[in-house]
Every structure is written in C-alpha cells, then in structure tokens.
Amino acid sequence: MFSNERSVPKVSMLYIALLHYPVINKEGRVVATAIANMDIHDIARTAKTFGVEKFYVINPIEAQRRLAGQIISHWREGYGAAYNPSRKDAFEKVSIKTDLDEVLAEISAMNGCKPQIIVTGANFQGEVLTCVKLKEVLKSNRLPYLLIFGTGSGIAQEVVNQADYRLEPIRGKDGYNHLAVRSAVAVILDRVVEIS
Amino acid sequence: MFSNERSVPKVSMLYIALLHYPVINKEGRVVATAIANMDIHDIARTAKTFGVEKFYVINPIEAQRRLAGQIISHWREGYGAAYNPSRKDAFEKVSIKTDLDEVLAEISAMNGCKPQIIVTGANFQGEVLTCVKLKEVLKSNRLPYLLIFGTGSGIAQEVVNQADYRLEPIRGKDGYNHLAVRSAVAVILDRVVEIS
C-alpha cells in the first residue's frame, strides 16, 4: 500500500437534503412547504457536527430561496459571522437548490458518479435499510450517498419511488414517533455516522 | 413470579429538564435565558417519542412562565389540540417550574425518593457517565432519574456540582459539537432509552 493511499480514509461522502417539494401535507396532498429558519440553523449545526459534506435545502419557490440566502449570508459573511464563529462554520455546509435534480447533478459533478439516494420517513413499512447496515456501508466505500429528509407530513411518493433505499423509521414508545425533522436528522446522523 | 409483577416492566422513571437559570452565557457569566417556543415543541415531541415521564421547563421569570403556559394551553386544550392531536399528546408531557428545587420536590413526591441528577454539557472532561452505561442503569431498576439540559452556553457550575453524574458529551467530527439543545436532547434520548 502506498503511503498516500493510507492518508485518505475510506469513508463515504455523505450529503443530506431537506426537501420542501414535493412533500405531502396532513391531508396527503402534494404541496410545497415554506423554509423554516430554525431548520437551517439546527440542521446545519448537526451536519457540521457529524461531518456531512453538504446540507442542501431544496425549495422551488424563488422568494423562499432568496430569504434563506439572506439568512445564510448573515451568518456566513455578515454580522453573525463575527458574533458566532461556530455558527459560521455550520452555515458553510448549507447550499440552497431549486429541485432534487439540481442536487443530484452537483453531487455527480463533484464525485464523478451519481449518489445513492436514501429517503427517510416516519411511516415506512416492509423492506427498509437499517441504520446499522447504513453505518457499515458508509464505512466500507468512498461513494456518495444522499440522505433526504421531508418537511410537512413527509416525502411525496414520486421521490420515494426514485430512491435506492428507504431508511428504517425511528421507532417511538407506544407507536408515537412524531419527531420534528430537526430532531430526526440529529438522531439518524448519530446512528449512521462513525466519529473517529 | 406473580403475573402482576410481569406486567410492570422493570424500567426507570426518566424525567428531563430544560434549564433557563442558572446557565452561562457566551462570556461565561451566569444568566437567565428566555424560553424559546421551538424548544418546547421539539423537546416535547422528542420526550413523548422516547417515553420520558415528564419534560420540565425551568425558568425563574414569571412573565416567561406565563407565556410558555399560554403556548402549552393552545396545543393542549385550545385550537391546536383539535388541529394537531399528536402535538397535544406531546404537550401533555410538559410542566413549567420556577426552579430546580421545585422539580426535585415534585419528582420526589411522585416516587417516594429523590431522583438521581444527571447533567449534560458539551465540554465535560474527566470522569463522565457514558450513554451506554446510563442505558444499562435505566433498564436495571425503577428509580427516578432526572436528565438536565442547559440553554445558553450550558449549565452553571453550581448545578453541575449538585449533580450525581455528568453525562459524556456528544462528540463531533474534528472537535465540532455545537448542536442545538433540541438536537442534543434527541440524540441523547435515542442513545439511552430502550424502545421495547
């Protein structure tokens, strides 16, 4: 083994995305949701903590993306950057995109191959990828993986159908598992990422 | 073994508290922080998911407690209860208290003994209780345990000194572990609670 091979850890490139369209609402209809300020803050910090390559915020509405861009600039280059340097570091991970295809194209361009797509959801049944298995997989190769989290009441079926894997839901006591997406991202990254 | 003994699982009573005073600010001074609406929502949902007995919000400022009480009432008995029943279930877990002593007194009264106090913090060093160990302990007896999370830049030393245990920090990649308290609660409860 050459020494320069040794210096590159054999760990996958893990990307996460927060999807605002297409997702379903409480009635099961496909909608676009609004970007919540707190989602960007919390998930950026979680992504940085668990060494995620990039955190994509996907929203098709231009005004929404502009607003999110202003928030991110404040913490990355504005007053917030000096006020809270650790927040600045977290916000470096954030990238705003119009749709999932744009995210897939960027990850493909950076890695030379399309990412494996893993969708998350609180109600998946049947054949699912366990977190234990995903953790093993992420440690065994250097391929790109994209883990998608839904807003509203979850990721729309058309995106679920497009995915390579559906991740096992976080089980709760007595069948209750209504976690905030911010909390779900933290739990899942803690389960699947090895901190060396 | 009598059949009624079998029906009662041998699992500890786990309580959590979000402390707004005494905590430290960025400069290390002891302050009282404001209650964040999102903390109540997210942590109540996480507490319900992981089967926590009660989620205490501790704040010494009367106006803050009154505001938090109004938010909780909206979701527990007001319009929110019908609009979002799963949120109602989560908010049933929340109780607002003035100080830590009030929380300790209530838990003691309900259980016939004082809870073991476990404090959390991102910077603890030296002798700490691991999450693996805490998970074992929680499964091995039916005693009450109180897990305290700080706001601001963390729990003040006087409360740390009062605790029976300091929980190991959540380690992040390259030493970064600036999680939102909402995310930290989710990660830690996922690590220490066994969902049967």
Side-chain angles (χ1 to χ4, degrees), chain B residues 58-73:
Chain B
I58 303 175
N59 196 299
I61 300 164
E62 209 262 327
Q64 283 279 314
R65 292 196 306 277
R66 200 168 51 230
L67 178 64
Q70 285 166 357
I71 294 168
I72 293 168
S73 293

Side-chain angles (χ1 to χ4, degrees), chain B residues 38-103:
Chain B
M38 198 65 83
D39 285 352
I40 305 180
H41 279 262
D42 285 12
I43 299 174
R45 294 162 74 183
T46 301
K48 175 73 183 169
T49 297
F50 290 104
V52 164
E53 298 300 320
K54 222 160 188 183
F55 161 35
Y56 292 103
V57 176
I58 303 175
N59 196 299
I61 300 164
E62 209 262 327
Q64 283 279 314
R65 292 196 306 277
R66 200 168 51 230
L67 178 64
Q70 285 166 357
I71 294 168
I72 293 168
S73 293
H74 170 78
W75 293 101
R76 210 147 62 183
E77 296 110 26
Y79 174 74
Y83 177 75
N84 192 336
S86 74
R87 198 64 57 95
K88 175 183 189 297
D89 293 342
F91 272 80
E92 300 289 356
K93 296 284 185 189
V94 187
S95 178
I96 306 168
K97 297 291 181 192
T98 304
D99 56 34
L100 182 55
D101 283 346
E102 217 183 330
V103 172

Side-chain angles (χ1 to χ4, degrees), chain A residues 111-160:
Chain A
N111 292 274
C113 65
K114 272 189 64 176
Q116 293 283 295
I117 300 175
I118 305 162
V119 285
T120 61
N123 301 312
F124 291 157
Q125 289 180 326
E127 206 184 317
V128 289
L129 178 67
T130 66
C131 289
V132 169
K133 180 70 187 164
L134 178 55
K135 187 170 187 171
E136 279 171 25
V137 167
L138 293 176
K139 283 192 290 186
S140 69
N141 67 62
R142 301 198 62 219
L143 295 173
Y145 289 82
L146 173 64
L147 197 48
I148 307 177
F149 295 88
T151 55
S153 292
I155 299 171
Q157 195 58 42
E158 61 182 276
V159 177
V160 173

Side-chain angles (χ1 to χ4, degrees), chain B residues 117-179:
Chain B
I117 300 174
I118 306 162
V119 286
T120 61
N123 301 312
F124 290 157
Q125 289 181 329
E127 206 185 320
V128 288
L129 177 67
T130 66
C131 290
V132 170
K133 180 69 188 168
L134 178 55
K135 187 171 185 169
E136 278 172 26
V137 167
L138 292 177
K139 282 193 289 186
S140 69
N141 66 62
R142 301 198 61 219
L143 296 173
Y145 288 83
L146 173 64
L147 198 47
I148 307 177
F149 295 88
T151 56
S153 293
I155 299 172
Q157 196 58 42
E158 61 181 275
V159 176
V160 173
N161 293 344
Q162 200 183 332
D164 298 290
Y165 303 99
R166 301 180 314 148
L167 193 66
E168 63 174 335
I170 297 166
R171 287 177 54 221
K173 207 98 167 179
D174 304 322
Y176 185 102
N177 67 344
H178 301 277
L179 289 176

